Amino acid sequence: MTTLSALAGRVATRPAPLTKSRPAALGMLGVALAVGLLEALPRLGIVDSRFLPPFSTMARSLAGQLTTAEFWTATGQTLRGWALGLAIAMAAGIAAGVVVGSVPLLRALTASTIEFLRPIPSVALIPLVVLIYGSEMPSALVLVVYASFWQVLVQVLYGVADVDPVVRDTARSYRFSRRAVVRTVVWPTAMPYVVTGFRLAASVALILEITAELIIGVPGLGRSIGVAQSSGAVAETYALVLVVGVIGVLVNVLARAVERRALRWHTSVRGDL
Amino acid sequence: MAHLGAGGLVKRVLTTLALPAVLVAAWWFASAHSTSFFWPPLRTIVEAFPETWTADPWLHDVLPSLARLAIGYLIALAAGAGLGVAIGSSRTLREICEPVLEFLRAVPPPVLIPVIALFAGYTGWTSKIITIALGCVWPILLNTIEGVRSLDEVLRDTARSYGLGRVATLWHVVLRGASPRIATGARQALSIGVILMVISELFGANRGLGAAIVQFQRGFAIPQMWTGIILLGLIGVALSALFRLVEHRALAWYRGLRQAERGA
């Protein structure tokens, strides 16, 4: 706490020294406080340690897990299901979005259907996929693809609609082929939207993958959490939840990195403009 | 849109309804003679609908589910916007909280269920409401922080120099200014809330919309299961329409502002 008040005091006296390390240092402080709280609450008996073990116990359980083959198999299964579902949703969403978005009549005809299908919660499909595929990987895949497909499709549609009509007409008067128009006019305009769609879809896909594992019992980290919880392995449950959270953070970081890399040339990312 | 002629209106209605009509018709005829166990004829499903969703399941499954969703969601909205304003107003606090909040948001909400089950078991209303509230709060919280952070400094200073009180500033300047971002967060939270409403009932097997659908599935009552899936879909659509209606009214000033800025 002394460091906190010291830091706060320094900030108050010397406003806005925009150093890069300050947010990082404060962020580390925040993480340290959270970990300290997780350690202190059960140790001081404020929360029953049968329900919330101290952080050190979780960490020890996690370290133990990291040496087992099952843990890495489950992690691999989760990541594979997530990546495969996301890839299918991206491919289908981009293809459908570019085709539908480029043809005004098609766009007008499909608008209401998309608006209707999109908010249908993908978990509504759980009973159906359980009947058809049981607790196997395709069950999770269907849910992941359904949920993330709409995120991508809607963003691609926005992107294609954003194409400057003058540019499009110019390309047409220069007799660009249809393929060349898509490659040189539509795609660069839609790219930022596609990347946004990717970022949204990446986190939705992870939610659905974990849900399918937890609820249906598709092999993966979600199922491990369910098993640990129902067998009363409390520290293990929390350790696995932490792992899933870290994967979620990594997915976000990865998505943002992809965003920056794919849009190097775009004004929203370029620093030199 | 205001000066659409009668012909334009007819055309719009036609384009809106054409594809849905074709799709439903296709489902109807393609499944008409279906003997597949999983894909009963649409006719059977439609006939099963009124007998399945009578007054009793509405009162004991559907409405309680929706009530839990509403309570959890409103708690998340109040807590997320309140905490978001507090955290967003202080740069230091924001920088301290940011990594922890990013982590909490990145945890897929369904894993909350086993954790909450550890504490309270998973049978009553409370655990389900906590699940929904805890899952919905992060997008609202983070978006509110972002909205408060990006408030126009000039507006704040103007409010101060006009001697606006703290409460008035909070209400008219801070919350108002952040409301478009709060709405973005609230929209993301709504779809998470619907997901959690359903799966919280799949986990703790008592009554509720999700529990009812799973019971149909386990009892191999396939047409009834389909009616449940369709009902759930309709609820999702209705909630998102309701959300858009509320947002449309609450943010009318914002749309007007944007249009004015674009010089339209």
Side-chain angles (χ1 to χ4, degrees), chain A residues 200-226:
Chain A
L200 296 172
S203 58
V204 167
L206 185 67
I207 294 180
L208 266 297
E209 176 69 30
I210 296 288
T211 306
E213 292 167 2
L214 188 66
I215 303 291
I216 313 178
V218 176
L221 281 175
R223 188 172 75 167
S224 308
I225 293 177

Side-chain angles (χ1 to χ4, degrees), chain A residues 59-181:
Chain A
R60 216 170 306 130
S61 162
L62 179 60
Q65 302 254 343
L66 291 179
T67 58
T68 63
E70 293 90 42
F71 171 81
W72 292 107
T73 315
T75 308
Q77 282 161 335
T78 299
L79 290 179
R80 190 155 3 109
W82 167 78
L84 186 60
L86 184 60
I88 295 174
M90 284 295 288
I94 291 173
V98 168
V99 170
V100 170
S102 307
V103 184
L105 179 68
L106 219 50
R107 194 181 155 85
L109 280 175
T110 52
S112 59
T113 312
I114 291 173
E115 275 311 298
F116 184 81
L117 290 178
R118 189 164 63 122
I120 293 179
S122 47
V123 287
L125 301 176
I126 286 180
L128 190 64
V129 294
V130 169
L131 276 182
I132 298 177
Y133 300 112
S135 26
E136 294 303 320
M137 196 257 201
S139 285
L141 197 61
V142 170
L143 298 182
V144 170
V145 170
Y146 185 87
S148 34
F149 170 76
W150 299 110
Q151 306 278 351
V152 182
L153 177 68
V154 169
Q155 290 297 325
V156 175
L157 285 177
Y158 284 146
V160 175
D162 200 32
V163 170
D164 187 342
V166 177
V167 178
R168 192 195 283 267
D169 292 346
T170 310
R172 195 172 298 153
S173 32
Y174 277 98
R175 302 210 169 197
F176 276 34
S177 68
R178 203 170 262 274
R179 184 193 294 219
V181 171

Side-chain angles (χ1 to χ4, degrees), chain A residues 20-87:
Chain A
K20 250 193 168 170
S21 58
R22 201 191 93 111
L26 284 176
M28 292 299 286
L29 177 70
V31 173
L33 282 176
V35 169
L37 200 66
L38 273 181
E39 183 73 31
L41 283 179
R43 290 234 182 264
L44 297 175
I46 300 170
V47 181
D48 195 330
S49 61
R50 275 177 306 165
F51 301 146
L52 180 74
F55 185 80
S56 52
T57 315
M58 294 182 204
R60 216 170 306 130
S61 162
L62 179 60
Q65 302 254 343
L66 291 179
T67 58
T68 63
E70 293 90 42
F71 171 81
W72 292 107
T73 315
T75 308
Q77 282 161 335
T78 299
L79 290 179
R80 190 155 3 109
W82 167 78
L84 186 60
L86 184 60

Side-chain angles (χ1 to χ4, degrees), chain B residues 235-252:
Chain B
I235 288 176
V237 173
L239 285 176
S240 101
L242 183 68
F243 183 90
R244 260 196 305 195
L245 195 73
V246 173
E247 188 192 24
H248 193 83
R249 296 206 137 195
L251 295 184

Side-chain angles (χ1 to χ4, degrees), chain B residues 106-120:
Chain B
V107 175
V111 304
L112 294 171
I113 293 177
V115 172
I116 292 167
L118 281 175
F119 276 89

